[in-house]
Amino acid sequence: MVFCFAFGCNHRSDRHSKNDTQCHLFRFPTNVKLRKKWIELCRRADREWNEGDRICSCHFEEGCKDKGPSIFVYSKPKFPDVADIRKRTKFAEIEKVPTVESTCTIGTCRGGVEEPTSVLFTAESSAALDHPYFHPCPSFQCASKINECQAKIKELEIEIRTLEIDIERLKNSRPVMSVDAMKNNQEKMLLYTSFTYDIFKIIVATLQRFEPLNYYSGWNVTNMSLEDQVLITLMKLRPNLRDLDLADRFSTSRATISNIVNTIICALHEIFYKGIMVRVGLPSQLKCKGSMPKSFEDFGSARASIDCTEITQDVPSDFNRQSASYSNYKSRHTVKALTAVAPNGSCVYVSPLYPGSVSDANIVKHSHFLENLVPGDLILADKGFNIHDQMPSGVQLNIPPFLINKTRFTSKEAELCYKIARNRIHVERVNERFKNYQILNHIPANYRPLSTKIMQLCACLVNLQAPLLKEIA
């Protein structure tokens, strides 16, 4: 005995109606695409189709298999019309017999919701009631169920209207914080972005030239201006506000904040670091002499001062990375970067981040910084950069003298230490400005993939601030 595979149909191979509405069971087509379409139309979520399943001719127009199934419980027309059933019956007396009128939702007493249809139940119409699509309600209480459904629908409609009003209110409400709200307040601009509004506009205008942006999360942010997106990113870099805090300040979601910050960081890094710092490279000796402060009188050929700066980070989950990132100097897990500062106080080079256990000399060697130098150049460094054997031909390295087998320095050595420290202090001051971007105080695990870009971007943003030396300004 084979039942019809369609949902809501109970036709089977051994059941035949007593009138001319007898149906036949058809096999499913052998064509894979067409068979898949038939299976989807049957809507059987309780089990999978198998080769023994059939579908009856009641689901085909005029019982023709070539047209494909189109008549189902959930489709219109859902069930045979009562008038059609009367026409098919062989009893002409059906309309003359007294009837009992009742309101019932045909075929929907098992969970569906339909408009009530007036159906005539008579003794002679029992054959029509045996139709597989007709499922009368045993208790004739469908009217009460309809009333309950209508009441529930009204409640949902009220809830939908309330939500629509809330959405419209949120769209029309201005965010608590925006660029327009603080552009005339220089103190706020410096606090949240470290720039005046004029410099901020230059950053935004530069970024606008590269629109549209490819957002980090794969979906575009359309409910916020580019100015506010840059402001959010700078507020993440400068005061290092949490995503939840920024989302509350700008009336948006945490996912939107994360998407904005990651996207704008990558875009600004591409523009200012790769497009300017890397492409321009180290300034030549001629440019350095044109803006050299008086303290470099004894180092006229100096081209840059170098130093390494360390940033703490979350402990890596991998044991090998834990061992590599642990710094004995800081007694923490850190990352390091090599920075080079021109005599005028501008940051001209930032290497990628390296694990905290790597020595300064190895970072210089691996970053290929010395390849940017030419014969006649002079580099200032501290004692940790004992890299005389790595220096290119004709390039000099000035580091403070070592106190080896001595109790004190000579007067010339002490004077040399003072001069080197006096001029090398600028790279320390620039590194301090890096740390003013509080996101570099500690790099969490979720920003580890972008840590190098964040470090290099902060170096570029430091160059956009007020000059480090007053005489250069």
Side-chain angles (χ1 to χ4, degrees):
M1 181 171 57
V2 180
F3 282 88
C4 178
F5 186 70
F7 172 76
C9 181
N10 59 0
H11 282 192
R12 58 182 185 264
S13 57
D14 64 339
R15 181 177 180 180
H16 303 284
S17 61
K18 298 179 181 180
N19 49 29
D20 58 352
T21 60
Q22 180 177 352
C23 63
H24 304 280
L25 295 176
F26 294 142
R27 291 178 179 270
F28 281 77
T30 58
N31 184 280
V32 177
K33 292 185 178 179
L34 186 58
R35 183 175 63 213
K36 183 179 179 181
K37 182 178 179 181
W38 283 29
I39 295 172
E40 291 177 353
L41 290 172
C42 288
R43 294 192 180 181
R44 289 299 296 268
D46 55 335
R47 68 177 184 89
E48 298 292 335
W49 174 86
N50 58 65
E51 294 183 355
D53 288 323
R54 303 289 187 270
I55 182 169
C56 68
S57 59
C58 294
H59 302 284
F60 299 83
E61 293 184 4
E62 300 178 359
C64 182
K65 181 180 179 181
D66 297 336
K67 296 182 179 180
S70 60
I71 304 174
F72 293 95
V73 176
Y74 57 84
S75 62
K76 292 184 178 182
K78 291 187 175 180
F79 307 103
D81 188 66
V82 176
D84 295 337
I85 297 176
R86 290 175 181 171
K87 291 178 182 178
R88 292 180 193 149
T89 183
K90 296 179 181 180
F91 303 99
E93 297 84 3
I94 188 172
E95 296 181 356
K96 299 179 181 179
V97 179
T99 61
V100 179
E101 187 173 353
S102 175
T103 302
C104 180
T105 55
I106 299 178
T108 59
C109 296
R110 297 185 178 181
V113 178
E114 291 291 334
E115 292 295 329
T117 303
S118 180
V119 182
L120 300 177
F121 298 101
T122 65
E124 285 77 5
S125 61
S126 59
L129 297 180
D130 287 337
H131 195 279
Y133 280 57
F134 185 77
H135 302 286
C137 179
S139 59
F140 296 96
Q141 294 180 352
C142 293
S144 61
K145 293 183 179 180
I146 292 174
N147 293 334
E148 293 177 3
C149 293
Q150 290 177 348
K152 185 66 176 178
I153 290 173
K154 290 182 180 179
E155 292 179 3
L156 293 175
E157 288 176 350
I158 295 173
E159 185 176 356
I160 289 173
R161 293 194 197 99
T162 305
L163 293 175
E164 289 176 349
I165 294 172
D166 292 341
I167 292 173
E168 193 66 24
R169 178 178 55 81
L170 291 174
K171 287 182 179 179
N172 296 331
S173 63
R174 294 175 60 85
V176 178
M177 182 171 288
S178 65
V179 176
D180 295 334
M182 65 172 65
K183 63 182 181 181
N184 296 325
N185 192 329
Q186 184 173 347
E187 186 177 359
K188 282 188 177 181
M189 289 296 299
L190 293 175
L191 173 64
Y192 291 116
T193 67
S194 71
F195 302 116
T196 61
Y197 182 63
D198 295 336
I199 302 299
F200 180 83
K201 285 197 301 182
I202 293 174
I203 297 174
V204 175
T206 305
L207 192 58
Q208 284 175 341
R209 296 173 57 190
F210 298 90
E211 288 187 314
L213 302 176
N214 293 325
Y215 280 84
Y216 191 84
S217 298
W219 47 273
N220 297 337
V221 178
T222 58
N223 61 342
M224 195 173 298
S225 65
L226 185 62
E227 280 190 341
D228 288 341
Q229 294 183 41
V230 175
L231 176 62
I232 289 172
T233 305
L234 294 178
M235 291 175 67
K236 184 65 180 179
L237 298 176
R238 174 70 174 188
N240 193 20
L241 300 180
R242 302 185 65 175
D243 291 356
L244 182 60
D245 188 6
L246 291 171
D248 184 63
R249 290 171 184 258
F250 288 87
S251 300
T252 186
S253 64
R254 295 178 65 179
T256 303
I257 294 297
S258 178
N259 191 16
I260 291 173
V261 171
N262 293 336
T263 302
I264 302 299
I265 284 177
C266 294
L268 294 180
H269 177 270
E270 193 76 18
I271 295 171
F272 291 104
Y273 180 75
K274 291 185 177 180
I276 298 178
M277 184 176 288
V278 174
R279 181 170 295 182
V280 173
L282 296 180
S284 62
Q285 279 196 29
L286 183 61
K287 289 184 179 180
C288 290
K289 288 181 179 180
S291 60
M292 189 170 290
K294 294 181 181 179
S295 59
F296 278 83
E297 292 176 348
D298 297 325
F299 305 101
S301 61
R303 196 168 174 192
S305 301
I306 61 175
D307 193 16
C308 282
T309 180
E310 286 190 80
I311 305 170
T312 61
Q313 65 169 351
D314 285 347
V315 180
S317 58
D318 184 72
F319 288 130
N320 293 329
R321 292 185 178 181
Q322 288 183 18
S323 176
S325 64
Y326 186 78
S327 172
N328 292 323
Y329 179 71
K330 293 286 187 179
S331 299
R332 297 176 186 174
H333 293 270
T334 63
V335 287
K336 300 171 67 174
L338 174 69
T339 59
V341 176
N344 64 355
S346 299
C347 183
V348 293
Y349 180 82
V350 180
S351 73
L353 291 174
Y354 292 88
S357 63
V358 181
S359 64
D360 297 348
N362 287 333
I363 292 178
V364 173
K365 181 179 180 180
H366 190 272
S367 64
H368 304 289
F369 166 74
L370 300 178
E371 296 177 1
N372 300 312
L373 305 177
V374 297
D377 290 342
L378 173 65
I379 298 298
L380 301 179
D382 63 4
K383 294 180 180 181
F385 293 89
N386 191 8
I387 53 175
H388 292 282
D389 56 335
Q390 301 181 25
M391 301 301 295
S393 177
V395 179
Q396 297 181 357
L397 174 68
N398 266 10
I399 60 176
F402 290 89
L403 191 63
I404 301 177
N405 299 325
K406 298 178 182 179
T407 58
R408 60 181 180 178
F409 289 120
T410 64
S411 58
K412 290 184 178 181
E413 291 175 339
E415 185 178 358
L416 179 63
C417 288
Y418 171 76
K419 290 180 179 180
I420 294 175
R422 183 186 179 190
N423 295 287
R424 249 199 83 261
I425 192 64
H426 301 317
V427 69
E428 301 286 353
R429 295 173 65 188
V430 170
N431 289 342
E432 183 182 2
R433 283 195 172 189
F434 292 164
K435 299 300 178 65
N436 287 336
Y437 288 93
Q438 296 182 19
I439 195 172
L440 296 178
N441 289 345
H442 182 86
I443 296 179
N446 59 317
Y447 280 107
R448 188 176 289 128
L450 293 176
S451 57
T452 294
K453 290 185 178 181
I454 292 174
M455 176 67 189
Q456 293 170 344
L457 174 60
C458 290
C460 298
L461 296 179
V462 165
N463 289 337
L464 298 178
Q465 298 177 10
L468 192 67
L469 304 175
K470 290 184 179 181
E471 56 183 304
I472 301 302

